[in-house]
Amino acid sequence: NNTDTTKGLFRKILIVHFNATFEGQRIDRRIREKLRDELPGIFNWAVQGYLRLVKNEYHFSASKAVDEEIHTFSYMSDPLKMWANDFLVELDESKEFCPLKELYRSYVFEMDSTQQKPVTLSSFSRNLRRLYRFKTYQRKVVNNVKQTCVYGLKLRGQREY
């Protein structure tokens, strides 16, 4: 379980998806013998990869498959991103808004229902601002209470103010 949702971690990892399974009749009982016979070729392949890594100043070659795995892992590691994707609607028209505390209540309810620990309201607000940098956050009176509202976001199925 990863709690680091910063970009730093995802700049440092490579995830290689390995989707082959070797069960039942797919088990090769002679794999060691076969690989032993291929050791010179495997070694040459590893040396070629190392030389390419040195040539690229120790940066691995770009791979769409690896990038997709890292993106998926990043998404799955960030409960706020998952909640936002499932529960928020982004609006082009900036006249519509949602109180931040209403968004937070929805987030907390979802975290509780999935046995995850929610972040504090201040962390939620800070992270939401990072996720939706171009939205306007403004204090406004809603239901006779002055509160922070987010323009251009609403909960799916939310009533309008």
Side-chain angles (χ1 to χ4, degrees):
N1 191 3
N2 175 45
T3 58
D4 182 358
T5 58
T6 64
K7 291 182 181 178
L9 171 69
F10 302 107
R11 285 192 309 264
K12 296 175 181 95
I13 62 172
L14 291 174
I15 301 172
V16 179
H17 185 74
F18 189 79
N19 60 358
T21 57
F22 303 98
E23 301 170 334
Q25 292 185 356
R26 292 202 60 195
I27 294 175
D28 187 348
R29 307 249 183 244
R30 294 186 44 235
I31 192 71
R32 286 191 180 168
E33 294 170 37
K34 291 178 182 178
L35 289 177
R36 193 175 307 117
D37 294 341
E38 297 294 328
L39 278 178
I42 294 169
F43 177 75
N44 288 336
W45 188 35
V47 169
Q48 288 171 0
Y50 171 74
L51 293 174
R52 186 173 67 235
L53 190 63
V54 170
K55 181 181 171 190
N56 292 338
E57 297 179 356
Y58 296 94
H59 295 327
F60 285 94
S61 302
S63 164
K64 184 178 178 184
V66 168
D67 290 346
E68 287 173 0
E69 288 298 319
I70 291 171
H71 176 76
T72 300
F73 181 67
S74 168
Y75 174 76
M76 299 297 288
S77 298
D78 189 342
L80 178 63
K81 279 184 187 173
M82 290 176 45
W83 169 82
N85 187 60
D86 292 344
F87 292 93
L88 292 183
V89 176
E90 197 167 355
L91 307 166
D92 291 334
E93 192 173 317
S94 62
K95 293 177 186 172
E96 293 188 58
F97 65 89
C98 185
L100 182 65
K101 285 187 178 180
E102 191 168 320
L103 297 175
Y104 184 67
R105 276 193 296 272
S106 170
Y107 163 78
V108 168
F109 180 80
E110 180 63 17
M111 293 302 101
D112 288 346
S113 70
T114 57
Q115 285 87 41
Q116 296 182 67
K117 184 179 178 194
V119 297
T120 64
L121 175 59
S122 62
S123 291
F124 173 83
S125 176
R126 184 175 55 252
N127 294 335
L128 193 69
R129 287 173 194 256
R130 276 192 207 125
L131 200 56
Y132 296 101
R133 289 188 306 244
F134 303 108
K135 298 299 175 191
T136 301
Y137 296 77
Q138 185 176 357
R139 302 279 294 164
K140 184 174 181 73
V141 176
V142 178
N143 298 331
N144 298 322
V145 177
K146 192 167 188 171
Q147 52 189 306
T148 302
C149 294
V150 184
Y151 284 79
L153 283 181
K154 74 174 192 172
L155 290 166
R156 292 191 194 284
Q158 172 194 358
R159 70 179 193 271
E160 293 186 21
Y161 289 93

